[in-house]
Amino acid sequence: MFSHNFIEAKTKTIVLKETKLQAFKHVLHYIYTDKNISTLLPIAGICEVLELADQYLLTGLMKTLLDCILKRTNLQSIFYITNKFYLFHFDDLTKVNIRRIANFAKTTFEAESFKTLLVPVLHALLNQYLNVPRSMVFEAVFGWMQANQDQKMHFPMLVRTMTLFMIREEEVNKLVEPIQYVDKAVIQAIKDESQNNENVYKLVEHNVFEYARCFPIASENRFMGLFIDLQDCFILNSLSFKILNTFARYTVSVCTDNKTWKKVVDRVLHSCCGFQELYFDERPIRYAKIQCTFQRGFEIDRNSIKLSYQLTIPKIDPKTTLFFPNQNMVTIEKGAEVVKNVPCGFQATTVRLPQPFTVNCIKMRCQSENGIKVFVSTDNEKWVRVAVLDALPSNKLAWRTVMFQQQPVSFIKIGRREISLTDVRWKLDVNNVVCFWCDTVNRDEVAETTISEWEREKAYFSNPLNVKKAIKRFLVKDDDEQ
């Protein structure tokens, strides 16, 4: 530039337009000394030096300045920095900062500096998933409009990014009265369009309940359930929550329009308590209802509610909406407990599961000189005997395995075939019982089940009179099939 036929080579004074003197001094200092002192400047000063470093292709200085800016970014400066990144055409860094603003939308949308965002930056931000109520997004954008009325031509574009039909009518009316920010006809057209093309999000293994609105369903001063508005449509297939201090029977229904409800979980026939882990076929959901079918009602721990989309879920029985657990459901963490460990016609232990499951396999670690009976139930009243096991020859404490026809199970009763109160080692706890669903095709691979036991079981089916010699009742619907 100075040695060729340019105007700068022929004049003694060179004017650098749109260049701040202080920023240019820092650039010169870096060029002559290879030392950067710009990091001591305020954020605005650093951005001015960064602009010149980008203009003069000083990559070493740019890297140092960018590292400094990213470390010093906070709630007060992130909007200014994002605007600068956009103007410098730092596209990747602009996207990073927009995502940061979106991730902390509950705080950033209430900041006064939000109103300083450039139109393209704000538009890109509104196209991100924002985990805050739509009314909060509207209030932030409306405040931005009030502060930037010179950008009125862009207002319809910004309004189009919001789901207007999900926002209260009195709030939407602020756009036309007393000052008309957007034409009424345009608002109505946008509202109709957004209602017909509502965004549906799929957030993998993310609890979307965090910012949901909840309303109690009450009857005669009793809590009968919970109405949930997620404020956006999500693809979901999993729900979990905790029932407090009572047994309850309930249903879970979902929909996208608050009109056409679909029952995805039915526990009307089962008493449940404690932690509830539920799965259903994936579907778009905005509204959900958890309703108790008992007149006395029940209480839900709202802090325990999780609504999410899981990549892998257990197999679901379409008839009962129960799932087939592929892992042990009898654990203290899941809420299982011993509800009875006393003589009841015969010495027995009853284990209550927190919710019903469709299972076909039970394992127990116990010892009995007189053999074992195993029963299952859904209500702790009507019992189905699923196995009668002979005593092991060694009479040692050992794991025993029972396979039976898959069915809903909420209670498991394991007892001795004859009353004997002298053997205190008989008592069981939840650590000695395992319950799950096993693919019947692979049942021969189940641990602790010996070949001899299966052979004796087959003998039972071939000879109905040989009941006393059977190790298991593989398929029993009544107490007496004979």
Side-chain angles (χ1 to χ4, degrees), residues 237-241 252 276-278 280 290 305-307:
N237 62 3
S238 171
L239 166 66
S240 62
F241 59 90
V252 178
Q276 306 296 295
E277 182 181 359
L278 311 172
F280 44 87
I290 307 172
I305 299 177
K306 292 183 179 180
L307 272 161

Side-chain angles (χ1 to χ4, degrees), residues 209 212-218 222-229 239-242 250-253 261 287-292 298-307:
F209 179 77
R213 293 187 297 179
C214 295
F215 307 93
I217 301 174
R222 287 191 296 271
F223 181 83
M224 300 299 295
L226 200 63
F227 177 89
I228 301 171
D229 178 8
L239 166 66
S240 62
F241 59 90
K242 186 177 182 180
Y250 63 88
T251 62
V252 178
S253 302
W261 292 90
Y287 301 97
K289 287 191 297 187
I290 307 172
Q291 290 182 287
C292 180
F298 70 151
E299 186 178 356
I300 296 175
D301 180 6
R302 296 194 185 187
N303 294 326
S304 68
I305 299 177
K306 292 183 179 180
L307 272 161

Side-chain angles (χ1 to χ4, degrees), residues 2 8 40 123 127 179 206 225 252 419 451 461:
F2 297 107
E8 289 83 1
L40 302 177
H123 184 258
N127 279 289
I179 300 175
H206 178 84
V252 178
I419 300 177
I451 298 298
F461 285 107

Side-chain angles (χ1 to χ4, degrees), residues 150-168:
D150 57 324
Q151 302 292 332
K152 195 170 183 178
M153 62 170 59
H154 301 294
F155 289 178
M157 175 186 69
L158 298 175
V159 172
R160 193 177 296 276
T161 62
M162 295 183 288
T163 314
L164 290 184
F165 79 94
M166 296 167 61
I167 302 171
R168 293 194 299 269

Side-chain angles (χ1 to χ4, degrees), residues 224-285:
M224 300 299 295
L226 200 63
F227 177 89
I228 301 171
D229 178 8
L230 297 175
Q231 305 190 78
D232 269 314
C233 232
F234 299 92
I235 299 295
L236 303 173
N237 62 3
S238 171
L239 166 66
S240 62
F241 59 90
K242 186 177 182 180
I243 300 175
L244 300 175
N245 305 327
T246 185
F247 287 92
R249 302 184 180 190
Y250 63 88
T251 62
V252 178
S253 302
V254 299
C255 71
T256 58
D257 56 5
N258 201 15
K259 296 178 183 178
T260 55
W261 292 90
K262 170 68 176 177
K263 188 187 297 182
V264 294
V265 175
D266 189 343
R267 298 293 182 269
V268 173
L269 301 178
H270 309 280
S271 296
C272 306
C273 182
F275 182 73
Q276 306 296 295
E277 182 181 359
L278 311 172
Y279 299 97
F280 44 87
D281 293 333
E282 67 177 64
R283 60 179 61 246
I285 297 173

